[in-house]
Amino acid sequence: MKKIFLTLALAMPLMAIAQTPATEPVCVPEVATWTKADGYTDISGRVIFKNKALRSVAEQLANDLRLIGFDGQVATGSAKAGDIVLNLKADKKAKAESYKIETGKTVNVTAASVEGVRWATQTLLQQLPNCDASLLQGTIEDAPQYPLRGFMIDCGRKFFPISYLKQLVRDMAYYKMNCLQIHLNDNGFNYWFGDDWNKTQQAFRMESDYFPGLTAKDGHYTKQEMRDLIHYANNLGVEIIPEIDVPAHALAFTRFRPSLAKPEFGMDHLDITDPKVVAFIDSVFTEYISGPDPVFCCKRVHIGTDEFNNKKPEYREAFRSLTDHLIRLVEQYGKQAVCWGSLSHAYGETPVKVDNVVMSMWSNGFAKPKDMKEAGYKMISIPDGYVYIVPAAGYYYDYLNCEWLYNSWTPANIGGTQFDECDPSIVGGMYAVWNDHPGNGITVQDVHDRLFSAMPTMAAKCWSGATAKADWTKFQANSASVGEAPGIDAMGHMVGHIEAKEVKAGTDRFVQSVYEPFKGENIDCVVDRGYPYEVTFTVDCKPEHKGAVLLSSPHANFYLSDPLQGKVGFEHEGYVHQFNYRLPKEGTVTLTVKGDNNSTTLFVNGKQQSRLERETLHVLNSNPRSHVQTLPGSNAIVADATVSVKRMYYMHTLFFPLAKTGSFNSTVRDFKLKGGK
């Protein structure tokens, strides 16, 4: 419904696809069982809830229905034809989060828990875009194989605004992903910064009253923003797990107070043999988990404990002692502790609490899965070699190998160590984005393109485990059809085609003016076009001032004349990218911009003029301050020398902005946008 609603006049093939009769629900994850009946039920848009505990679920569903074109409303009284009825029914034998949907004259949703009803509403929403306004009649029964289905985002090395995290939460809930871990502090690698710890990127992303100078100045979350995010996510069935990572990855703390560091291991390591350092760590955690209105108003807190140096026995024992101490500290405030699996790496004699502790199993060298199970830990399967995304780094994955994951992986496989499906020691699975290379041109939208591309696959494998039935081709088609949650277009795929005879300067709602006949709430979320796309327009040129913007969005500006050199170019997140071309002061030219996830290319009158593509940058092997350049958007000292030990990639990519037009003198006409998937 939502895709047809926006592209009805311009993408007739989509209508033909959408009208093809379905024989089973199209949703991701696929449902466990489906019993087909005869006929279809036209959805009225009315939502009726039978239990007070379901009011917020009903209101969310009604709002989502409005976003995809229905007259969604919460109603009372008896159900009428096409109404959706939400009901809780106690069932001691029911699996956690299970639900049942019976579609006949009405759509009856029944579950033993609010969570089950909530996931049923997402199953319904996913089907509606594919069958216009009708649901197949029949019965769905569904339940997850694993209770925790999640994603971890590294905000320490790249800041993600709260507005984006809320979009991410909504997308996750749409796919029944129920856990978002937010990695709140970290630092870059010092070798990208001239081996100078004082210049190396670092950030602690929380507002702090105890230590005001600790808070990152290039982006952080206020305490109230974090509380609000946690409550917002809870209302959608998504648990937020905030993470403060100590005692390694801790440059933010040692930059704030150098006496905390253990320079022998690097300035990103805390000296945990010093009681004053442990007291400081306690204060950091306590600020967010204590009091009548804690900032981390969630049930679990991640205490980090990742990749600390293990070369000396006294530090291994100190690490184990600190891990045990922090587990007990967060438990003191009613939280369950989650930690990175490091106890095989930090082998020793000091006992570490096991009961009620969850361990993120990322590397079998740091924590041997069978040993951790035998010890009694609950485990999250997040194996780095399978599910780690590091954008444009050249190691781990730029995009996950989703076909392999779908066909070959479940959370029961922890880095090659295979357990029985639904082993009670494995609480679920997650995947992660690590932003190891700050300042590499990667934007929030680039990260989302990578993480959302994997979300359907990871959602399916964590929900269905080994019981997934669809083959890969069918699964891909279903995922593409389901798309993003109602009201979310973070992938920039909502519109596939735009034409405008003239692009007028100073238009506040460009897309809405183009789609004038098809007004609707959902179109308001369209502000950019994601990869891939082709934009063509003709310019009757007049002299332009530097900084003349053709189109912009909250994320980017596309310039007819960039503010630095007056070239055609674009800017996002502080990065300015210039094509090797200036508009003439008079005459007519036709420009075409093609964008994908590796490059942005400018064509002038049909001929390629300038291609901005991934650049390879190297750190020098010796004397890193000679023959160097500063990496755009950061203080990283790099050089494109052949004598190097490390390399990174700098990206010149763009989600094309579509929200509003800027100020320019030329006449811009015959604007066309074509996008694919």
Side-chain angles (χ1 to χ4, degrees):
M1 184 73 179
K2 64 185 177 185
K3 296 172 185 173
I4 303 168
F5 187 74
L6 291 180
T7 59
L8 184 61
L10 301 172
M12 296 301 290
L14 285 180
M15 282 192 63
I17 294 171
Q19 291 178 341
T20 301
T23 58
E24 60 184 4
V26 176
C27 52
V28 177
E30 64 188 299
V31 299
T33 64
W34 159 247
T35 305
K36 187 179 182 301
D38 293 328
Y40 295 84
T41 297
D42 292 331
I43 300 303
S44 68
R46 286 169 28 110
V47 183
I48 297 173
F49 62 97
K50 295 295 187 179
N51 309 80
K52 291 182 180 179
L54 297 175
R55 176 182 290 276
S56 65
V57 179
E59 290 173 347
Q60 179 68 44
L61 177 58
N63 181 67
D64 287 334
L65 288 170
R66 288 192 293 273
L67 289 173
I68 60 175
F70 291 93
D71 182 19
Q73 55 183 294
V74 177
T76 58
S78 300
K80 300 177 182 179
D83 289 355
I84 299 173
V85 183
L86 310 181
N87 194 16
L88 287 174
K89 183 179 180 181
D91 184 352
K92 293 182 179 180
K93 296 182 180 180
K95 291 184 178 180
E97 303 179 84
S98 63
Y99 64 87
K100 185 176 184 179
I101 303 174
E102 298 171 287
T103 302
K105 182 179 179 181
T106 59
V107 181
N108 296 306
V109 173
T110 306
S113 66
V114 173
E115 289 78 11
V117 173
R118 184 181 287 115
W119 300 141
T121 66
Q122 303 312 297
T123 296
L124 292 172
L125 286 169
Q126 286 189 358
Q127 293 176 72
L128 290 171
N130 305 290
C131 53
D132 205 351
S134 299
L135 290 175
L136 282 167
Q137 292 189 353
T139 301
I140 290 171
E141 294 186 79
D142 199 14
Q145 297 293 301
Y146 292 92
L148 187 147
R149 309 170 297 277
F151 172 71
M152 193 234 68
I153 189 165
D154 171 13
C155 297
R157 285 175 283 203
K158 179 169 182 58
F159 180 66
F160 293 83
I162 283 287
S163 58
Y164 171 72
L165 294 181
K166 287 184 174 180
Q167 288 184 322
L168 175 58
V169 164
R170 183 65 193 96
D171 269 342
M172 290 178 65
Y174 191 53
Y175 283 90
K176 305 183 182 71
M177 300 282 278
N178 64 357
C179 184
L180 174 61
Q181 179 181 331
I182 303 177
H183 186 77
L184 288 166
N185 66 283
D186 216 315
N187 49 266
F189 299 128
N190 65 323
Y191 51 74
W192 286 115
F193 299 84
D195 287 321
D196 188 342
W197 286 110
N198 290 320
K199 293 181 179 179
T200 301
Q201 182 274 345
Q202 52 74 33
F204 179 77
R205 298 298 183 186
M206 284 301 306
E207 174 189 23
S208 176
D209 298 315
Y210 288 13
F211 310 107
L214 177 61
T215 301
K217 295 180 174 59
D218 65 337
H220 68 272
Y221 311 116
T222 68
K223 292 182 175 181
Q224 194 55 47
E225 282 178 330
M226 183 55 67
R227 289 189 190 98
D228 291 345
L229 175 64
I230 292 170
H231 290 310
Y232 171 80
N234 282 341
N235 287 335
L236 292 172
V238 178
E239 173 192 0
I240 300 294
I241 300 181
E243 178 194 352
I244 297 174
D245 198 2
V246 291
H249 300 274
L251 185 62
F253 302 120
T254 64
R255 182 76 61 80
F256 168 70
R257 186 174 292 178
S259 62
L260 299 170
K262 184 64 177 173
E264 177 185 354
F265 299 150
M267 288 297 290
D268 59 348
H269 276 56
L270 297 173
D271 184 359
I272 55 177
T273 62
D274 185 343
K276 293 180 181 179
V277 174
V278 176
F280 173 84
I281 296 171
D282 284 3
S283 296
V284 172
F285 277 92
T286 302
E287 180 170 5
Y288 303 105
I289 61 178
S290 65
D293 185 21
V295 177
F296 294 168
C297 48
C298 45
K299 65 182 182 181
R300 287 187 268 218
V301 171
H302 203 297
I303 61 171
T305 65
D306 183 30
E307 294 188 298
F308 194 77
N309 192 294
N310 73 338
K311 291 183 178 180
K312 293 185 177 181
E314 58 266 35
Y315 288 105
R316 294 197 299 269
E317 300 298 344
F319 177 88
R320 296 176 68 89
S321 177
L322 178 69
T323 302
D324 181 77
H325 173 77
L326 291 178
I327 289 169
R328 297 177 190 277
L329 176 68
V330 301
E331 287 181 344
Q332 178 183 337
Y333 293 97
K335 313 296 183 185
Q336 184 182 33
V338 188
C339 60
W340 290 108
S342 295
L343 295 185
S344 298
H345 179 73
Y347 55 94
E349 302 299 325
T350 303
V352 179
K353 189 176 186 295
V354 171
D355 294 342
N356 196 39
V357 177
V358 179
M359 186 173 284
S360 302
M361 301 294 292
W362 72 279
S363 167
N364 295 5
F366 276 78
K368 297 177 181 178
K370 290 184 178 179
D371 289 352
M372 296 305 106
K373 175 185 175 178
E374 183 178 352
Y377 289 103
K378 298 296 184 182
M379 299 183 291
I380 298 172
S381 180
I382 183 170
D384 60 341
Y386 299 163
V387 297
Y388 269 20
I389 299 168
V390 186
Y395 56 86
Y396 284 126
Y397 291 97
D398 195 18
Y399 288 78
L400 292 187
N401 186 344
C402 290
E403 182 175 3
W404 181 87
L405 288 167
Y406 185 78
N407 289 326
S408 305
W409 182 81
T410 76
N413 181 345
I414 302 180
T417 299
Q418 185 68 50
F419 293 85
D420 292 337
E421 287 298 323
C422 302
D423 185 304
S425 67
I426 301 174
V427 298
M430 297 180 72
Y431 68 118
V433 163
W434 295 100
N435 300 295
D436 286 8
H437 293 165
N440 64 348
I442 289 286
T443 66
V444 170
Q445 291 171 312
D446 287 314
V447 173
H448 187 77
D449 191 66
R450 287 158 170 77
L451 74 87
F452 186 78
S453 295
M455 188 176 291
T457 298
M458 292 301 297
K461 300 306 289 185
C462 292
W463 180 276
S464 302
T467 68
K469 299 181 290 291
D471 63 26
W472 172 244
T473 300
K474 181 179 180 182
F475 177 78
Q476 282 184 297
N478 288 350
S479 300
S481 180
V482 166
E484 291 190 270
I488 305 296
D489 187 35
M491 286 290 282
H493 284 168
M494 188 71 73
V495 293
H497 187 70
I498 291 177
E499 292 188 15
K501 291 183 179 179
E502 183 178 358
V503 179
K504 297 180 180 179
T507 302
D508 287 336
R509 291 162 61 86
F510 175 69
V511 174
Q512 289 77 3
S513 68
V514 174
Y515 278 101
E516 188 67 26
F518 308 108
K519 290 182 178 179
E521 293 180 58
N522 207 22
I523 201 170
D524 288 339
C525 69
V526 178
V527 293
D528 302 283
R529 171 63 213 188
Y531 315 127
Y533 61 80
E534 179 179 314
V535 174
T536 299
F537 53 92
T538 297
V539 184
D540 297 325
C541 300
K542 294 181 180 179
E544 295 288 359
H545 63 280
K546 287 184 179 180
V549 173
L550 174 64
L551 281 157
S552 68
S553 76
H555 310 115
N557 294 311
F558 187 87
Y559 295 111
L560 293 178
S561 174
D562 85 87
L564 300 179
Q565 297 182 1
K567 296 181 178 181
V568 176
F570 56 93
E571 176 273 331
H572 51 187
E573 295 187 17
Y575 300 105
V576 177
H577 307 264
Q578 302 158 320
F579 296 110
N580 187 26
Y581 180 75
R582 290 183 179 85
L583 285 175
K585 295 181 179 180
E586 60 182 20
T588 297
V589 295
T590 296
L591 304 184
T592 298
V593 181
K594 292 184 179 181
D596 57 36
N597 61 358
N598 281 305
S599 64
T600 312
T601 306
L602 177 69
F603 297 80
V604 179
N605 296 328
K607 295 183 178 180
Q608 181 173 315
Q609 175 68 33
S610 181
R611 179 177 176 83
L612 303 177
E613 56 189 340
R614 186 174 74 172
E615 292 183 62
T616 303
L617 301 169
H618 299 78
V619 66
L620 292 178
N621 190 27
S622 61
N623 192 15
R625 289 177 177 79
S626 64
H627 304 96
V628 299
Q629 64 184 33
T630 300
L631 187 65
S634 78
N635 293 319
I637 298 176
V638 298
D640 54 351
T642 56
V643 181
S644 63
V645 292
K646 301 290 183 182
R647 67 179 180 184
M648 68 183 293
Y649 300 109
Y650 184 74
M651 305 299 288
H652 298 275
T653 48
L654 174 69
F655 271 38
F656 199 89
L658 297 171
K660 60 182 181 180
T661 59
S663 173
F664 50 88
N665 299 321
S666 302
T667 298
V668 180
R669 54 184 172 85
D670 299 329
F671 181 96
K672 295 181 181 180
L673 179 149
K674 295 188 294 183
K677 263 198 173 185

